């Protein structure tokens, strides 16, 4: 269907929109049909949907749409305010920073399923321990990759052109965003497993509103950096709300203080680069050593699971 739309001249967001509508219609058809041979007739006699099915499906669909909108709002704003050149710079640097959380995201797909089983049996103490393990594992990997990216940021950005190297601070802000996003994403996943669809929708609406207000205030002052700062602010609001939402369902998670320390170390490495390579290199080594010491338990667990050990 995507190929058909493409050759009919439908592009970009229209392609996504129309293909999504078609996918939804086909999905509803398969759900409602009684006989697999009778594809068009919606005969639901004798078929009972679970209680709250349509309400939950509707709220989660709206949440998914608003989440997609939230992820694209900054790029939409850039197209309205600037042009494709700035969108290319913004999107390119965002993808470079994304490398720092790419591996943790792959790991999380397996860890979240294990966490879901604990939530199902409501093993609160085990959930808290597992929650900390997921956060610590994410931060260990993300922090190490982030410091390497910052240390070689000039070289990496210059590969894309001299214009990109002028936005080194934008790269730092995107990396900081990744650390806050971990909490928000993990908390939202737990709320979804708990069936708290209203809270998930509220969180998505809150993030969209806070981002738009922050972007309106900060974009004229800080240019592209203002958009990323606006995203950081909206994610902080998301983390605060989801933590409150988890407290209401008796999940009292404590946000580790070392999050602030790790972010401070990354910022320190960034500003050390304004002096010379020696200072930047030494600062990077100190930062990596500090992070490894803070996460020595997680590091040892990872090393024990490697076959070479």
């Amino acid at each position: 269907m995507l190929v058909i739309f493409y050759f009919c001249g439908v592009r970009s967001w229209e392609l996504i929109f129309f293909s999504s509508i078609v996918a939804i219609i086909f999905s509803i058809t398969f759900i409602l049909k009684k006989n697999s041979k009778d594809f068009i007739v919606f005969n639901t006699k004798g078929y009972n949907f679970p209680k709250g099915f349509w309400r939950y499906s509707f709220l989660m669909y709206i949440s998914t749409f608003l989440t997609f909108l939230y992820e694209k709002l900054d790029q939409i704003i850039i197209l309205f305010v600037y042009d494709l050149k700035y969108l290319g710079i913004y999107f390119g640097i965002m993808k470079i920073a994304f490398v720092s959380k790419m591996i943790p995201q792959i790991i999380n797909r397996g860890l979240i399923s294990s966490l879901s089983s604990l939530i199902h049996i409501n093993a609160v103490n085990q959930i808290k321990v597992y929650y900390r393990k997921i956060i610590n594992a994410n931060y260990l990997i993300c922090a190490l990759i982030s410091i390497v990216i910052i240390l070689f940021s000039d070289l990496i950005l210059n590969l894309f052109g001299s214009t990109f190297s002028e936005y080194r601070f934008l790269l730092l802000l995107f990396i900081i965003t990744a650390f806050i996003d971990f909490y928000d994403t993990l908390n939202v996943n737990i709320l979804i497993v708990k069936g708290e669809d209203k809270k998930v929708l509220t969180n998505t609406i809150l993030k969209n509103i806070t981002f738009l207000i922050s972007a309106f205030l900060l974009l004229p002052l800080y240019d592209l950096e203002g958009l990323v700062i606006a995203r950081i602010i909206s994610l902080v609001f998301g983390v605060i709300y989801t933590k409150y939402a988890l407290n209401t369902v008796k999940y009292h998670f404590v946000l580790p203080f070392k999050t602030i320390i790790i972010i401070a170390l990354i910022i320190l490495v960034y500003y050390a680069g304004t002096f010379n390579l020696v200072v930047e290199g030494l600062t990077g080594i100190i930062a990596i050593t500090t992070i490894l010491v803070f996460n020595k338990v997680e590091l040892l667990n990872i090393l024990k699971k490697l076959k070479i050990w």
Side-chain angles (χ1 to χ4, degrees), residues 46 69 179:
L69 180 64
F179 286 90

Side-chain angles (χ1 to χ4, degrees), residues 147-172:
I147 290 175
V148 172
I149 291 175
I150 292 296
L151 287 174
F152 295 95
S153 58
D154 288 331
L155 176 62
I156 295 171
L157 293 176
N158 279 323
L159 291 175
F160 296 90
S162 57
T163 306
F164 277 77
S165 61
E166 298 174 5
Y167 290 90
R168 187 167 175 259
F169 185 63
L170 189 66
L171 177 63
L172 173 66

Side-chain angles (χ1 to χ4, degrees), residues 264-281:
L265 287 172
I266 292 174
I267 294 174
L268 183 64
V269 173
Y270 171 83
Y271 281 106
T274 59
F275 294 96
N276 54 61
L277 292 176
V278 176
V279 175
E280 184 181 23

